[in-house]
């Protein structure tokens, strides 16, 4: 069975017991979570979120610069007032540099990705602080928005606040 | 209790029963899911994914142009070979235009977001086809990558393939 067929089979099981068909579009808990795409993170399970509770934005590293479009839509059109940034231990973004991936793309794909900043980082706590600072200083994120940052430990399942 | 305190309390419960502390970094099922940030979607539950299975990239609309950085990292550094695009019914991206949000940002924030393409769409199925076409034509996504698109129905919990 192909992976897509497996997904469709799993979806049949989900839909068979689905009872959340009347949820409103705006997030009930007025939160936007910005998390890394890492396979080991499940923000809903980690934070106790149910369907309808929160926007969840995810990208490589959970980087804010790559989430600004989504955050403006979340806040200005759908009423969220809190951003929770979720980075994690053992993140792939700690293992390479822009030079590494620019060269790899040239070698593997005979293509040029030099125009893309891949946003890796060297220090996990600092990456959270940098993303909070990026949003705090953006004219597109009002000062009334609460912004909090956390590191998730993939070994223990625990969150640690970044101050 | 603040929303952040609620998250920390929920995380204590999650971590207390956590038994997945030795998962490897690369996704076990070699898939990157690209889904909308909408609060009503839980890609893991919809597709039957467990921690460790797949990268999950999410943004407003589940748009490919905003996910290219993450997809290149997913494929070139972490070995995924399939992209599953997941848009959904009743999407907020169907309800506004770039002009709408550019004007709202000026009015509400006294700021200028005219340089941001917010990537709204008028036709749901076409938005999936457009994102598949965008990735298929990108020199940064090799032809060997399988790309499939789906629409999730927020009323029924069911997936529909977009051909």
């Amino acid at each position: 069975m192909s992976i897509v067929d497996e997904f469709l089979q799993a979806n049949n099981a989900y839909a068979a017991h689905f009872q959340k068909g009347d949820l409103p579009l705006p997030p009930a808990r007025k939160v936007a979570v910005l998390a890394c795409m890492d396979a080991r993170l499940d923000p809903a399970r980690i934070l106790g979120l149910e369907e309808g509770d929160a926007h969840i934005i995810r990208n490589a590293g959970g980087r804010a610069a790559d989430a600004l479009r989504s955050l403006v839509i979340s806040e200005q059109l759908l009423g969220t007032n809190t951003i929770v940034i979720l980075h994690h231990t053992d993140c792939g973004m700690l293992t390479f540099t822009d030079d590494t991936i620019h060269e790899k793309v040239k070698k593997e794909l005979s293509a040029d990705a030099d125009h893309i900043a891949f946003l890796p980082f060297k220090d996990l706590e600092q990456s959270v602080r940098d993303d909070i600072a990026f949003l705090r200083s953006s004219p597109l994120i009002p000062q009334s928005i609460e912004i909090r940052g956390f590191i998730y430990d993939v070994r223990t399942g625990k969150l640690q606040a970044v101050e």
Side-chain angles (χ1 to χ4, degrees), chain A:
Chain A
M1 188 154 59
S2 78
I3 184 88
V4 168
D5 289 335
E6 288 173 13
F7 286 166
L8 289 170
Q9 191 175 69
N11 178 248
N12 278 337
Y14 178 76
H17 300 281
F18 187 74
Q19 294 183 319
K20 295 177 177 173
D22 56 0
L23 294 171
L25 201 164
R29 295 172 79 177
K30 299 187 187 299
V31 174
V33 176
L34 168 56
C36 184
M37 70 178 178
D38 190 282
R40 296 163 294 179
L41 265 67
D42 186 327
R45 292 178 193 164
I46 291 170
L47 301 173
L49 295 167
E50 294 297 324
E51 288 93 332
D53 276 351
H55 284 145
I56 302 188
I57 301 159
R58 301 183 64 177
N59 63 47
R63 303 312 311 263
D66 213 18
L68 197 55
R69 176 185 71 89
S70 299
L71 288 168
V72 171
I73 291 171
S74 177
E75 293 161 9
Q76 296 304 314
L77 301 181
L78 294 162
T80 58
N81 58 26
T82 301
I83 299 170
V84 170
I85 296 175
L86 197 57
H87 294 185
H88 65 94
T89 61
D90 197 38
C91 186
M93 304 299 281
L94 290 158
T95 67
F96 69 95
T97 65
D98 262 346
D99 284 348
T100 319
I101 191 159
H102 290 159
E103 283 167 30
K104 190 166 173 70
V105 166
K106 284 192 185 81
K107 186 178 164 195
E108 301 290 338
L109 305 178
S110 304
D112 190 332
D114 289 5
H115 58 292
I116 300 180
F118 282 90
L119 311 174
F121 43 75
K122 290 286 175 209
D123 182 298
L124 190 53
E125 289 203 16
Q126 192 58 41
S127 76
V128 176
R129 287 191 206 102
D130 287 348
D131 280 350
I132 293 173
F134 173 88
L135 295 173
R136 202 72 288 168
S137 68
S138 170
L140 301 178
I141 305 293
Q143 295 303 311
S144 59
I145 301 285
E146 183 179 1
I147 308 176
R148 298 287 296 267
F150 296 89
I151 290 171
Y152 173 75
D153 188 325
V154 297
R155 302 284 165 222
T156 64
K158 284 185 187 161
L159 288 177
Q160 172 209 323
V162 176
E163 305 299 340

